[in-house]
Amino acid sequence: MKQVQLTDLVEIKYLPLLRSLRKGYTSTENSEPFYSVSIQEINEFGYTIITDSSRLVMVYERDLTMISSREMILKPYDILISILHFKVQTGIILDGIKPNCIANPGFAVLRAKDHQLRKEQSFNIFSFFISNIGKQFLKTLQGILRPGRRTLLSRVLIPLLEGNDRETIVNNIEQQIQKYKELEKIKTEIDQIREKNGIVMFGKDEIY
């Protein structure tokens, strides 16, 4: 199987700690609201879910220029790796992401270089990092200083799938995502039934 260095497939982006994100920072500059994606937005399956309850921050003009020039606004199929957190975790951005989302500075953002194969290659890379071998590699980064982590991450070799194998990976992940959406729908329905029981018992919205 062909192996390719990660940086041959993706751009690796790191967002510096913006002044806008510093506690207590205020400015008279123009600003825009952004969702700041943290490790809490990555669920147990590795899907990055941004909701209305995700952290909303005001990003000021100078930082907006940096975000724009570095193309740091998250896109579908971007991969997030939390190599600077205590818990190493990998997530992938799905279709339908909210506009104006940026990753927490603790993430490395991997974005496929080949726009025509962005989905296929992203699923390929995501599958590697959530595999046992990929997880073990990421664990080795925890005890290494930041510059070394970035160097090792950029040099990791990714098994590059092609043809039927690549198609199988894509189909499998799409099936997983569909099952996840069905699971979330069932959870919502269960919560609604529990709320109805609370109303019957207590005459108000109580979770049973």
Side-chain angles (χ1 to χ4, degrees):
M1 182 182 298
K2 183 180 180 182
Q3 291 188 316
V4 179
Q5 190 166 291
L6 181 62
T7 47
D8 289 337
L9 299 173
V10 303
E11 299 176 75
I12 304 180
K13 298 175 177 288
Y14 298 93
L15 183 67
L17 180 58
L18 304 176
R19 291 176 303 167
S20 303
L21 302 182
R22 294 174 183 168
K23 187 176 181 179
Y25 180 81
T26 59
S27 173
T28 57
E29 298 174 359
N30 294 330
S31 62
E32 290 184 27
F34 277 76
Y35 287 99
S36 177
V37 179
S38 68
I39 198 169
Q40 283 74 31
E41 272 73 50
I42 301 177
N43 67 21
E44 66 267 36
F45 306 109
Y47 309 138
T48 307
I49 310 298
I50 298 95
T51 67
D52 291 337
S53 61
S54 298
R55 184 187 177 203
L56 195 64
V57 297
M58 298 306 296
V59 177
Y60 294 100
E61 194 167 354
R62 292 184 184 181
D63 289 339
L64 287 171
T65 301
M66 179 186 296
I67 289 172
S68 176
S69 64
R70 299 191 182 191
E71 297 184 343
M72 294 302 303
I73 297 177
L74 295 174
K75 299 180 179 181
Y77 311 120
D78 283 350
I79 296 169
L80 308 180
I81 298 181
S82 61
I83 61 173
L84 302 184
H85 292 90
F86 175 75
K87 181 181 179 182
V88 176
Q89 195 161 345
T90 302
I92 189 167
I93 303 291
L94 302 181
D95 278 329
I97 182 176
K98 289 179 176 292
N100 283 12
C101 291
I102 54 175
N104 183 288
F107 284 111
V109 180
L110 316 184
R111 181 170 297 161
K113 292 180 178 179
D114 190 331
H115 293 276
Q116 291 185 332
L117 293 175
R118 172 176 287 174
K119 180 178 181 179
E120 291 82 355
Q121 290 190 352
S122 296
F123 281 1
N124 186 156
I125 296 164
F126 175 67
S127 296
F128 169 76
F129 281 116
I130 64 173
S131 71
N132 289 333
I133 293 175
K135 289 177 181 177
Q136 190 59 42
F137 165 75
L138 291 175
K139 284 182 180 179
T140 64
L141 300 182
Q142 287 183 299
I144 300 173
L145 296 176
R146 184 179 302 184
R149 291 179 186 178
R150 294 185 175 187
T151 300
L152 288 175
L153 179 63
S154 68
R155 293 178 179 174
V156 66
L157 295 177
I158 305 294
L160 184 62
L161 303 177
E162 297 178 333
N164 291 336
D165 288 337
R166 182 170 65 194
E167 186 175 340
T168 298
I169 287 287
V170 170
N171 289 338
N172 285 344
I173 292 183
E174 287 182 335
Q175 288 181 38
Q176 292 172 40
I177 293 171
Q178 182 58 40
K179 292 293 183 184
Y180 163 74
K181 291 179 178 178
E182 292 172 6
L183 178 61
E184 288 300 295
K185 182 179 179 182
I186 291 172
K187 287 181 179 179
T188 299
E189 291 172 352
I190 290 173
D191 286 340
Q192 291 171 347
I193 294 170
R194 286 161 61 94
E195 289 174 4
K196 289 178 181 178
N197 285 347
I199 293 172
V200 171
M201 293 185 69
F202 305 108
K204 58 181 179 179
D205 293 338
E206 291 283 351
I207 299 299
Y208 179 66

